[in-house]
Amino acid sequence: MSAPKTLYDKIWDAHVAHEAEDGTCLLYIDRHLVHEVTSAQAFEGLRIAGRKVRAPHKTIAVPDHNVPTTLDRADPATMTEESRIQVNALDTNAKEFGVHYYPVSDVRQGIVHIVGPEQGWTLPGMTVVCGDSHTATHGAFGALAHGIGTSEVEHVLATQTLIQKKSKNMKVEITGKLKPGVTAKDITLAVIGETGTAGGTGYVIEYCGEAIRDLSMEGRMTVCNMAIEGGARAGLIAPDETTFAYCKGRPNAPKGADWDAALENWKTLYTDEGAEFDLVVTLKGEDIQPVVTWGTSPEDVLPITATVPSADDFEGGKVAAAQRSLDYMGLTPGQKLTDIAIDTVFIGSCTNGRIEDLRAAAEILKGKKIKDGLRAMVVPGSGLVRAQAEEEGLADIFKDAGFEWRMAGCSMCLAMNPDQLAEHERCASTSNRNFEGRQGYKGRTHLVSPAMAAAAAITGKLTDVRTLT
Amino acid sequence: MEKYEKLTGIAAPMPLVNIDTDMIIPKVFLKSIARTGFGKNLFDEMRFNRDGTEIPDFVLNKPQYRDASILIAGDNFGCGSSREHAPWAIADFGIKCIISTSFADIFFNNSFKNGILPIVMPQEVVDVLMQDAEKGANARMTVDLESQIVTTSDGEEFSFEVDAFKKHCLLNGLDDIGLTYQKIDAIDAFEAEQAAKAPWL
Ligand code: SF4
């Protein structure tokens, strides 16, 4: 019998097209997702070298980062000149090279990491890449999914492979059950709080344990999405009945006999008993609380019940970084997190822009109004999420509460389109990065779950969602 | 790509930990569809005020570091997004080597593809190099990729590890795609086998 393997080992072994003596491999790529910001230079490289896209039928393009999310976005005047050039370049490239394409006018358009799974492009056991670090999202299906740079985008377009060396195996186990008010977002932030933003460097993480098993596919995507914030190359969750049920019937999922064959294969995708991990981190599900970030790194996580730390609470290089964060965020050590007043609430992104996230936020907002003077917006992750939310009546709950109800895109997650924070504006955001300037020049970001974002919208302060229900 | 030559130059100290890609090149500059010209916006929000004037305290604005070709940085350099604009901006500015205790994975890979050598050193060594860099423009550091040795301005030597394949590509200025095309038979064979075994892919 062969040695026991981890899930990562299995997917890796099944995709090595060539291995050199020093262990450098050509990893075959099953799905290549492409968006407008990191692909133009890659397509241009192909054109200059007279090369083709090797597997256009495995390549899927969708504009998301730059696109406006206002209702009038069909009007080209809603985009800046530069954004328009980038979106138009994707349009031209997608057509010229013959890849699958969801233009802005298509109801299926949305954030690439939401569109891929929704359309059944992402399936268990695959290798998935995209010129975007949050490609880690697709790991929720038990697919090995990494973000890559533009040179690598060009390499995959040309050869359908990636030059890679194998990472190490890390296991993150969340045991037991979550307490009420605690969500997938809190799990993934709590893990980063534990390991730090460099803790996963050099590893592929497999998330497991009862609390992970209990999550829906949406929740699992939220967890894997932020594996990159923990520094890991990818995050994985072994596929199970929840995964199969999600995939079944999706437009690009296998059908008939192919489905049966695929399913049989997918059921072998788990870590064998006795397989070795290089590092194991265990958190108790019941210990995880609703969390928020206070600083400018995703590792700056605290339970909502805590107070703002002081730079002296840290060691080494983190002391200066913490002081810089406190200054940037305009916070005073010792201040209660629940006393921090906010100006803006953003619900959306590939971390929390799926239907379940909107349901969780709407649940809190039902029959309530947002705090006077607050700006609040919901940006669904895709046109289909938006349509479903309208059908379920969620859109009306948001609108009645005072939220703007937007079209799909990345929006204020990285503020490349007009949705930005003004200087010193403070935002409770369901996105994934609280870096300096991420949501707008000198804007201040607190990362939270959708339910916590909704709670903050009602009170106008960072709020423990458990005190509202 | 150009061949990577032995480098002697000014090293700029940036002890901050977790320098992320949004700091290296803020997203407002990602809208170009070219690969060049990003150097003038490297570290934009740390380097310039909103009105375009320089922030004098920022290390690369200090007269002695304006021509730095080496960066000595705090832990976890390059974390954040996959944007290759980050190494494009760094290379365009003229920096060819970054030394830190650790790098974010995607940034690390992207660097090699753009003629930048990221070197991982233990904390004690980074501390020594940081001190050396703080001496300013007269303290020239040398990075020799061939022999894998960094030499401080005082002549103190530290050897470093580098992946043999990445070193080979950098030294010879090799293009990854060209190299992979040499193995196209293996890719063809893999694809054919996979199509037979897993037709749903
Ligand atoms: S939603 Fe945010 S994190 Fe996700 S792909 Fe868009 S910009 Fe990146």
Side-chain angles (χ1 to χ4, degrees):
Chain A
M1 220 184 79
S2 59
K5 289 180 175 183
T6 64
L7 173 57
Y8 172 49
D9 297 341
K10 289 182 182 178
I11 304 175
W12 174 272
D13 290 349
H15 288 87
V16 175
H18 181 272
E19 180 163 1
E21 276 170 21
D22 71 346
T24 303
C25 291
L26 284 179
L27 195 68
Y28 190 81
I29 302 303
D30 297 323
R31 291 289 179 265
H32 186 190
L33 310 175
V34 173
H35 67 78
E36 79 278 19
V37 180
T38 53
S39 66
Q41 292 90 343
F43 282 113
E44 188 61 20
L46 291 188
R47 209 175 276 122
I48 291 167
R51 290 168 176 154
K52 285 197 174 68
V53 174
R54 180 179 169 99
H57 56 295
K58 298 180 179 181
T59 310
I60 298 98
V62 57
D64 53 6
H65 284 60
N66 276 286
V67 300
T69 56
T70 44
L71 296 177
D72 60 353
R73 69 173 175 181
D75 175 0
T78 54
M79 261 195 259
T80 63
E81 177 70 20
E82 289 159 310
S83 292
R84 208 162 38 236
I85 290 174
Q86 226 168 39
V87 173
N88 288 346
L90 184 69
D91 202 80
T92 310
N93 290 329
K95 288 174 187 158
E96 181 181 330
F97 289 92
V99 308
H100 297 282
Y101 181 46
Y102 302 101
V104 181
S105 56
D106 192 313
V107 68
R108 296 167 296 178
Q109 178 270 344
I111 305 168
V112 63
H113 308 307
I114 292 192
V115 173
E118 205 168 68
Q119 293 301 318
W121 290 117
T122 309
L123 299 167
M126 282 181 166
T127 47
V128 181
V129 295
C130 175
D132 189 280
S133 54
H134 290 98
T135 310
T137 314
H138 308 264
F141 291 81
L144 178 59
H146 334 128
I148 55 178
T150 298
S151 296
E152 291 175 316
V153 170
E154 188 177 337
H155 191 275
V156 176
L157 288 172
T159 70
Q160 206 57 29
T161 63
L162 197 61
I163 302 174
Q164 285 274 299
K165 272 200 173 162
K166 203 172 168 201
S167 304
K168 289 180 285 183
N169 278 291
M170 173 167 172
K171 172 159 114 173
V172 173
E173 186 175 10
I174 315 292
T175 60
K177 300 270 180 209
L178 298 178
K179 290 261 172 64
V182 179
T183 68
K185 183 67 167 286
D186 301 299
I187 295 182
T188 202
L189 281 170
V191 171
I192 297 162
E194 181 77 21
T195 60
T197 47
T201 304
Y203 292 96
V204 164
I205 297 176
E206 179 176 347
Y207 297 95
C208 60
E210 187 182 351
I212 298 288
R213 285 275 139 248
D214 284 350
L215 293 174
S216 64
M217 281 320 291
E218 283 86 351
R220 294 179 190 185
M221 284 189 253
T222 302
V223 170
C224 288
N225 175 274
M226 290 192 72
I228 186 72
E229 268 65 49
R233 179 166 295 175
L236 285 171
I237 294 174
D240 60 10
E241 291 306 323
T242 305
T243 325
F244 308 145
Y246 180 98
C247 294
K248 190 150 194 178
R250 302 260 156 199
N252 297 289
K255 314 242 152 28
D258 274 352
W259 171 265
D260 297 338
L263 198 60
E264 201 177 315
N265 172 278
W266 296 346
K267 287 185 173 164
T268 66
L269 297 173
Y270 53 81
T271 291
D272 295 331
E273 188 100 23
E276 295 256 352
F277 285 89
D278 302 286
L279 187 63
V280 178
V281 172
T282 308
L283 264 66
K284 282 195 196 144
E286 60 265 29
D287 289 350
I288 301 176
Q289 298 189 50
V291 291
V292 299
T293 59
W294 58 270
T296 56
S297 166
E299 70 191 17
D300 299 336
V301 174
L302 283 172
I304 181 67
T305 48
T307 56
V308 174
S310 119
D312 303 335
D313 299 341
F314 298 91
E315 284 173 6
K318 191 68 195 164
V319 177
Q323 190 56 53
R324 189 182 165 93
S325 285
L326 289 170
D327 295 344
Y328 181 89
M329 294 295 288
L331 297 175
T332 318
Q335 187 179 6
K336 280 167 82 175
L337 292 171
T338 47
D339 284 343
I340 298 174
I342 51 156
D343 313 293
T344 301
V345 170
F346 171 69
I347 298 178
S349 87
C350 60
T351 313
N352 284 130
R354 284 170 285 269
I355 190 69
E356 185 175 281
D357 302 313
L358 303 196
R359 284 185 196 135
E363 177 73 29
I364 306 290
L365 289 165
K366 210 180 217 160
K368 304 227 169 64
K369 293 271 182 231
I370 64 170
K371 174 93 176 166
D372 267 353
L374 195 90
R375 167 168 65 148
M377 66 167 94
V378 184
V379 182
S382 72
L384 292 178
V385 169
R386 182 181 149 89
Q388 189 177 350
E390 286 182 340
E391 210 178 286
E392 292 183 11
L394 308 180
D396 290 330
I397 296 177
F398 286 117
K399 287 190 265 187
D400 291 346
F403 271 79
E404 291 174 49
W405 179 244
R406 296 294 194 95
M407 304 293 279
C410 294
S411 180
M412 207 189 266
C413 173
L414 94 165
M416 257 186 105
N417 76 349
D419 308 337
Q420 304 186 1
L421 294 181
E423 262 181 63
H424 302 317
E425 243 183 331
R426 193 182 290 284
C427 180
S429 176
T430 66
S431 55
N432 44 53
R433 286 194 178 136
N434 50 351
F435 296 159
E436 290 182 15
R438 173 78 177 183
Q439 296 192 289
Y441 181 74
K442 294 219 181 307
R444 295 163 170 168
T445 303
H446 295 276
L447 302 177
V448 291
S449 72
M452 291 277 282
I458 295 168
T459 63
K461 290 190 286 190
L462 295 180
T463 298
D464 187 341
V465 63
R466 296 168 298 188
T467 62
L468 283 190
T469 44
Chain B
M1 213 162 69
E2 275 176 43
K3 293 184 178 182
Y4 198 89
E5 309 273 350
K6 182 166 163 176
L7 173 70
T8 298
I10 298 166
M14 282 193 83
L16 198 65
V17 299
N18 297 333
I19 293 179
D20 60 64
T21 50
D22 285 65
M23 289 179 180
I24 298 172
I25 182 91
K27 75 251 156 185
V28 286
F29 304 109
L30 305 190
K31 295 188 178 179
S32 163
I33 56 172
R35 273 179 198 256
T36 51
F38 294 100
K40 59 180 187 297
N41 303 114
L42 175 67
F43 293 117
D44 197 83
E45 289 176 7
M46 301 166 92
R47 203 165 134 208
F48 302 108
N49 292 306
R50 270 254 131 149
D51 61 8
T53 54
E54 288 187 0
I55 299 171
D57 282 355
F58 182 68
V59 60
L60 297 180
N61 287 336
K62 294 184 184 167
Q64 64 271 38
Y65 295 117
R66 297 184 91 93
D67 296 319
S69 55
I70 301 166
L71 264 190
I72 315 292
D75 198 41
N76 198 27
F77 188 88
C79 58
S81 94
S82 65
R83 61 186 70 157
E84 200 155 318
H85 311 70
W88 291 338
I90 289 170
D92 196 49
F93 182 89
I95 289 169
K96 307 198 72 157
C97 175
I98 307 168
I99 304 175
S100 175
T101 42
S102 73
F103 291 88
D105 190 54
I106 303 176
F107 177 85
F108 188 77
N109 281 324
N110 283 343
S111 294
F112 282 99
K113 299 187 193 306
N114 292 284
I116 301 166
L117 173 64
I119 299 178
V120 178
M121 290 280 202
Q123 186 71 55
E124 315 85 76
V125 176
V126 173
D127 290 346
V128 173
L129 298 177
M130 195 72 76
Q131 274 176 14
D132 195 45
E134 272 155 13
K135 292 179 192 160
N138 294 326
R140 307 229 156 199
M141 217 174 265
T142 298
V143 177
D144 187 356
L145 175 56
E146 183 80 60
S147 64
Q148 300 181 210
I149 288 177
V150 176
T151 312
T152 66
S153 62
D154 303 329
E156 201 174 348
E157 295 190 343
F158 298 99
S159 64
F160 61 88
E161 297 289 322
V162 57
D163 178 87
F165 175 70
K166 290 192 164 98
K167 174 179 173 180
H168 175 73
C169 291
L170 212 49
L171 282 176
N172 297 293
L174 294 177
D175 157 31
D176 279 353
I177 297 179
L179 283 173
T180 300
Y181 272 140
Q182 294 170 4
K183 304 189 187 99
I184 207 78
D185 290 350
I187 301 174
D188 288 343
F190 179 91
E191 218 166 44
E193 195 189 322
Q194 193 196 47
K197 267 202 314 211
W200 66 87
L201 291 170

